[in-house]
Amino acid sequence: MTTIYDVAVIGLGAMGSAALAYLAGRGAKVIGIEAKYPAHALGSSHGDSRLIRLGYFEDPSYVPLLQRAYENWRSLETRLGADILTVTGVLQIGMPDSKIVSGTLKSSALHGLPHLVLDQKSMAERFPAFRLDEGEIGVFDPQGGYIRPEAAIMGYLKLAAADGAVMHFGERVTAVEPSDDGVTILSNEGRYHARKIVVATGAWIAELVPELRGMANPIRQVVAWYQPSDGFVAQPERMPCFLRDEGAEGSYFGFPVIGTDGVKIGRHAHFREAIDPDLENPPVNDADRALLDGFARKRLPSAASVRMKSTTCRYTMLPSEDFLIDAIPHQKNVVICSACSGHGFKFTSVVGEILADLALDGGTSLPVDVFKFERHVS
Ligand SMILES: Cc1cc2nc3c(=O)[nH]c(=O)nc-3n(C[C@H](O)[C@H](O)[C@H](O)COP(=O)(O)OP(=O)(O)OC[C@H]3O[C@@H](n4cnc5c(N)ncnc54)[C@H](O)[C@@H]3O)c2cc1C
């Protein structure tokens, strides 16, 4: 007899693994299908660390979702007995009228979030790793920090398994065929049936969701790790995670020394270089290294002195640089999730809950208007 699943989740990276855990936790009969293997390094969710912060400069409307994300990360840690989210504080540095600094201040004021404004002198005293230009300031978000992405994904998969989810790894979904009463899923291994599906295939999403072709665009991202020349200036106690607004040069993000790895640095969206998700990322090249080394020398001279390693990753950018989490119009059995634009990971713990709500209840009480399909299609 053919099994009919309540929900099939396609892609078990960040968003898919969380969705599977929430669905299985609610007692649904679920299957997850992943083309590669758990917490692999070929998508968007590897590299040891992802920033989380509360005074969201992008838009104050994200703050309630972040508050829920924090609660959900803590509950994941409790269930696993593991450290997933570490609070170091996050500094947002730039000119007072820059997008990152002014946006952080706006979100913090609107939501009454604790924060500290530090001028150049106070920054030098408290956080000596950072070099500021005349007039620049730092806004310290004491609740910010970093999440361990691989541990989070493995954790959600373990919970999903414990709650009875079926999981297939190394199996690629090749097509989905929605009908009025469900969806048929075709893969290189077989054929499945589910009442609803969640498509969370990251950089590959447009391959299964033609509505997103030309809209969800994968680009190449590069990050590098550096050892400090002053061994203790880059420990989390003296160097929090950071975002830095460089005006026309874009923005950079970074992490203090975590474990034995050095300081990690990247420029948001790097060179905005389009990639074919089915091909291997072009390896790190001289231009990539020159960009990140130049930033390290200028802005973190004693904290990021010697480059140790570098790697590539991929962002999936939507034109708005927000997320799209919704059922496809006229195909209510297909819920899609494109939650990257370079800043999605911190929301994984709440996106999993939203996806489970949308798939099982057809809606959610969480504030998701900003993620709706109509908003992204003109
Ligand atoms: C370098 C870098 C730094 C970042 N920094 C931050 C940060 O500091 N803070 C933050 O909040 N966010 C950050 N982000 C963004 C964040 O990591 C992403 O939003 C998040 O990882 C996206 O998760 P995802 O589930 O959409 O994609 P993924 O985790 O890549 O999952 C998609 C999965 O789908 C699978 N798949 C694809 N096609 C198929 C198919 N046909 N059949 C079956 N499976 C399939 C893939 O193998 C993959 O496992 C960063 C991203 C990068 C790359």
Side-chain angles (χ1 to χ4, degrees):
M1 205 181 71
T2 309
T3 303
I4 301 190
Y5 291 96
D6 293 325
V7 186
V9 178
I10 304 169
L12 298 179
M15 308 305 155
S17 65
L20 196 72
Y22 276 96
L23 286 161
R26 286 181 58 182
K29 187 178 180 65
V30 284
I31 180 169
I33 306 174
E34 163 57 49
K36 299 184 169 69
Y37 48 90
H40 64 80
L42 301 164
S44 302
S45 301
H46 56 284
D48 306 335
S49 49
R50 291 289 185 273
L51 280 173
I52 180 160
R53 55 203 154 82
L54 210 41
Y56 222 54
F57 80 83
E58 288 86 341
D59 195 310
S61 67
Y62 281 96
V63 174
L65 283 171
L66 280 161
Q67 287 165 328
R68 181 67 171 187
Y70 268 85
E71 279 172 35
N72 289 355
W73 286 123
R74 292 308 184 199
S75 125
L76 177 67
E77 289 182 314
T78 306
R79 287 195 66 194
L80 293 170
D83 284 340
I84 305 285
L85 192 168
T86 303
V87 169
T88 60
V90 169
L91 264 173
Q92 357 270 311
I93 304 169
M95 296 305 281
D97 62 354
S98 64
K99 191 171 170 205
I100 289 182
V101 168
S102 64
T104 303
L105 287 170
K106 185 176 167 196
S107 266
S108 303
L110 207 67
H111 290 280
L113 304 174
H115 63 283
L116 204 59
V117 179
L118 300 160
D119 63 14
Q120 204 178 356
K121 185 165 168 289
S122 322
M123 279 286 293
E125 282 163 8
R126 181 147 178 205
F127 302 121
F130 300 97
R131 289 283 176 284
L132 269 64
D133 288 343
E134 188 81 39
E136 285 187 324
I137 59 171
V139 182
F140 185 64
D141 171 352
Q143 298 179 81
Y146 67 89
I147 303 161
R148 294 177 172 78
E150 292 88 349
I153 292 172
M154 289 306 289
Y156 277 127
L157 294 177
K158 283 182 197 168
L159 293 187
D163 284 328
V166 174
M167 287 181 237
H168 291 191
F169 290 96
E171 180 170 343
R172 186 183 172 98
V173 172
T174 49
V176 292
E177 295 173 350
S179 60
D180 286 347
D181 57 353
V183 185
T184 300
I185 301 127
L186 305 172
S187 81
N188 58 341
E189 303 269 326
R191 166 188 285 263
Y192 308 90
H193 302 279
R195 290 187 181 84
K196 298 276 177 95
I197 62 169
V198 170
V199 184
T201 49
W204 294 264
I205 196 154
E207 292 179 359
L208 293 178
V209 185
E211 288 83 349
L212 296 191
R213 286 189 194 142
M215 189 158 82
N217 297 313
I219 61 169
R220 178 172 168 273
Q221 178 66 29
V222 178
V223 291
W225 285 259
Y226 296 80
Q227 282 298 334
S229 56
D230 172 345
F232 290 91
V233 78
Q235 290 296 319
E237 295 76 16
R238 300 196 81 199
M239 181 183 163
C241 302
F242 70 91
L243 284 182
R244 202 178 203 299
D245 196 316
E246 294 279 347
E249 297 297 309
S251 63
Y252 288 75
F253 55 87
F255 301 81
V257 171
I258 296 172
T260 53
D261 280 334
V263 168
K264 179 175 145 188
I265 297 172
R267 177 163 77 166
H268 176 65
H270 199 58
F271 294 128
R272 292 190 184 261
E273 184 185 338
I275 50 163
D276 176 345
D278 286 325
L279 300 179
E280 248 179 61
N281 267 351
V284 179
N285 59 38
D286 287 347
D288 302 325
R289 285 186 278 269
L291 179 83
L292 298 179
D293 290 359
F295 176 81
R297 259 195 315 274
K298 183 172 174 195
R299 298 303 192 188
L300 296 161
S302 59
S305 306
V306 183
R307 181 171 21 81
M308 304 304 288
K309 61 174 184 176
S310 46
T311 190
T312 61
C313 193
R314 27 190 86 178
Y315 278 6
T316 309
M317 301 301 278
L318 292 171
S320 63
E321 302 207 1
D322 286 321
F323 312 143
L324 200 176
I325 306 172
D326 201 0
I328 300 186
H330 317 300
Q331 287 186 8
K332 291 295 171 200
N333 299 328
V334 180
V335 175
I336 54 173
C337 174
S338 181
C340 182
S341 294
H343 63 115
F345 200 94
K346 61 183 79 59
F347 295 92
T348 300
S349 60
V350 68
V351 170
E353 185 182 2
I354 292 167
L355 290 171
D357 288 349
L358 295 181
L360 296 180
D361 307 332
T364 179
S365 58
L366 290 159
V368 292
D369 281 354
V370 69
F371 304 146
K372 287 209 178 300
F373 205 92
E374 306 85 77
R375 210 180 146 260
H376 294 266
V377 189
S378 48

